[in-house]
Amino acid sequence: SSAASDVYKRQVRKGMSLYSIQNGTGVKVEQIKKLNRMVSDVIHPCDVILIPTSMYQSSPSKELASI
């Protein structure tokens, strides 16, 4: 399988944090940081981050829409 099908691209919106993404998806902050090669927990509006879909606790589109 290709790597592209195993991740979900998410554009960061104002007020979002890695922790809000973790709470909405069940994907741990450390896993998000590792996939995106991040050294800090800081994200900014308009950043695009990758989230591993294999670790979602439920549907990515449903959960991320509520973040």
Side-chain angles (χ1 to χ4, degrees):
S1 84
S2 73
S5 65
D6 297 334
V7 298
Y8 180 82
K9 289 183 181 179
R10 177 63 170 150
Q11 185 170 2
V12 177
R13 294 189 313 238
K14 185 177 179 181
M16 289 176 71
S17 70
L18 290 178
Y19 295 95
S20 68
I21 295 168
Q22 174 183 271
N23 291 339
T25 64
V27 179
K28 301 283 186 207
V29 168
E30 289 305 317
Q31 294 164 326
I32 297 169
K33 287 174 62 175
K34 182 178 179 181
L35 179 63
N36 290 277
R37 299 184 177 115
M38 299 170 68
V39 293
S40 78
D41 293 350
V42 178
I43 57 176
H44 301 95
C46 298
D47 285 353
V48 175
I49 59 171
L50 303 176
I51 303 169
T53 55
S54 61
M55 297 177 184
Y56 273 103
Q57 292 179 347
S58 60
S59 166
S61 57
K62 180 180 176 187
E63 291 301 316
L64 284 173
S66 67
I67 297 175

